[in-house]
Amino acid sequence: RLADAKFFFDQDRKKTLASRVEGLGKVVYHNKLGTQGERVDRVRAIAKSIGQQLGDSALARQADLAAQLAKTDLVTDMVGEFPELQGTMGRYYALNDGLDVAVADAIEDHYKPRFAGDELPRNDVGVIVALADKLETLVGMFGIGNLPTGDRDPFALRRHALGVIRMLVEKDLQLDLETLLVSTLPAFGDKITDATPALLDFIYDRLAGNLREQGFSAQQVDAVLALRPQRLADVQKRLEAVRAFAALPEAPALAAANKRVGNILKKAETAVQARVDASLLQEAAEQELNQALQTAVPRADAQFAEGDYTASLQTLAVLRAPVDAFFDKVMVNAEDPALKANRLGLLA
């Protein structure tokens, strides 16, 4: 076996990886999605798109080259005989061809993470190609309706979704999830239909399960994921903010008031505009609530925009007393339509 391996290794190095790209056009990937060559073209397009979204053209060029060569070791003698070496041999052959180390590492790393707890790609080029590779599989398989069922997941879509989540979170990538999925679609042309909503649900389900395994309660996870945050790197900070807020003495009363406000606005006969005419504020309690909102909300919004979600929620906790006073002393559904609309606007 060792002699065979040495023979294959010596033979393979006589041809560059670049010269093997054409051979991928003869390897069937999926009867609805074409050959490995077509797949490589799609992964390249997706990798370039990710590089552009990150605003790094040099990185995008390196990722494009790595994506072009990432599957070429599949048509080498060595990987034909030892399939478990796919990626590993690609890296050795890339270095043998004199390619940049970052590109060679990315060729090996684009399969990562291969299992739960596996390491992530070691450099940014590898992260982009690994993301592109997994997104191509997810968007493509969902686009032809080839979804996991029960225990059956032949294309490892659950694992790929968790890989995408881990890279977005652990590498703190400033990428919006839905934009990422939608920007993947053009690479497929008319081979697939747009299944973005179903794929988003699938990814958020995987994320929710992953977060619960990390020790966050189902309630905390639901509170954060209900808003479908697009930057998954933010989710951990949002969860910590929810956990810190829930520990505040004001939290139960504010949560109850928030639910009450939601119910009142839902029952309004017409669409409620979130604006207030200060001249129509008659009761002291509504004047005080309006004043408290004008003080607290801009500060909380600024903290939220800076990503300090814990401070933002704590800033809003000062609203407990004026909100309670408002509900104790003010009739929201006043007979005067202008007063009623103004009070609903205050709640909105």
Side-chain angles (χ1 to χ4, degrees):
R1 293 289 278 169
L2 193 57
D4 287 347
K6 179 162 190 324
F7 174 76
F8 293 140
F9 185 52
D10 290 338
Q11 290 300 111
D12 285 342
R13 285 183 297 165
K14 292 175 182 176
K15 286 179 70 177
T16 64
L17 289 182
S19 71
R20 296 180 185 276
V21 172
E22 196 178 335
L24 292 170
K26 298 171 187 153
V27 181
V28 175
Y29 167 56
H30 190 281
N31 61 345
K32 290 185 180 177
L33 295 172
T35 65
Q36 282 285 5
E38 291 173 275
R39 182 164 187 249
V40 163
D41 289 341
R42 293 194 292 268
V43 174
R44 286 181 68 186
I46 297 163
K48 278 193 277 191
S49 171
I50 294 169
Q52 287 159 2
Q53 288 174 58
L54 289 170
D56 192 328
S57 55
L59 192 59
R61 282 195 298 275
Q62 282 191 308
D64 178 39
L65 177 59
Q68 182 187 26
L69 302 177
K71 303 294 181 188
T72 49
D73 67 354
L74 296 178
V75 290
T76 61
D77 292 337
M78 182 72 106
V79 174
E81 184 69 21
F82 304 100
E84 65 276 16
L85 291 180
Q86 62 184 22
T88 302
M89 295 317 303
R91 179 177 181 277
Y92 281 117
Y93 295 148
L95 292 172
N96 184 69
D97 292 348
L99 295 175
D100 191 286
V101 173
V103 172
D105 287 346
I107 290 171
E108 178 174 18
D109 288 354
H110 84 279
Y111 291 105
K112 296 176 181 176
R114 293 156 298 188
F115 49 84
D118 189 20
E119 62 187 12
L120 297 183
R122 69 197 92 175
N123 64 41
D124 292 342
V125 182
V127 169
I128 290 177
V129 182
L131 260 182
D133 188 62
K134 287 165 180 56
L135 287 169
E136 192 279 339
T137 303
L138 287 163
V139 172
M141 290 301 162
F142 268 75
I144 61 171
N146 199 347
L147 313 185
T149 54
D151 291 336
R152 279 186 51 75
D153 187 6
F155 288 90
L157 300 187
R158 294 184 180 98
R159 179 166 59 77
H160 285 320
L162 278 172
V164 169
I165 288 165
R166 279 193 59 201
M167 282 185 278
L168 290 175
V169 172
E170 293 175 36
K171 296 293 184 179
D172 195 17
L173 296 179
Q174 298 305 300
L175 295 167
D176 287 1
L177 180 60
E178 189 167 355
T179 304
L180 204 52
L181 298 184
V182 171
S183 67
T184 299
L185 293 169
F188 288 88
D190 59 1
K191 286 185 184 290
I192 65 169
T193 55
D194 182 359
T196 301
L199 181 51
L200 277 170
D201 288 344
F202 182 74
I203 291 173
Y204 281 115
D205 281 348
R206 303 278 80 67
L207 176 58
N210 183 252
L211 292 168
R212 287 195 293 270
E213 285 172 12
Q214 290 178 40
F216 291 101
S217 72
Q219 202 172 23
Q220 289 165 347
V221 171
D222 290 347
V224 171
L225 296 191
L227 293 175
R228 291 295 181 97
Q230 290 301 304
R231 296 276 171 99
L232 299 194
D234 273 359
V235 167
Q236 190 89 10
K237 286 195 287 185
R238 290 175 184 237
L239 279 164
E240 286 161 4
V242 167
R243 188 180 267 176
F245 178 76
L248 296 174
E250 299 91 345
L254 276 170
N258 190 58
K259 190 173 182 181
R260 187 173 175 184
V261 168
N263 289 336
I264 291 170
L265 295 176
K266 221 181 285 177
K267 290 173 186 168
E269 297 94 5
T270 57
V272 177
Q273 299 298 319
R275 58 171 178 257
V276 176
D277 180 349
S279 67
L280 291 175
L281 297 172
Q282 296 184 346
E283 305 288 342
E286 61 185 331
Q287 292 169 359
E288 284 163 14
L289 176 56
N290 185 52
Q291 186 58 49
L293 283 169
Q294 287 181 350
T295 304
V297 171
R299 188 168 165 223
D301 286 349
Q303 290 164 331
F304 192 92
E306 289 166 7
D308 194 348
Y309 306 121
T310 302
S312 181
L313 284 177
Q314 286 172 340
T315 296
L316 292 175
V318 301
L319 296 174
R320 179 198 167 165
V323 167
D324 286 351
F326 177 86
F327 281 125
D328 286 344
K329 297 172 183 173
V330 177
M331 173 68 72
V332 177
N333 292 319
E335 288 184 21
D336 181 340
L339 269 184
K340 178 180 175 180
N342 203 52
R343 285 169 182 172
L344 287 170
L346 183 60
L347 291 182

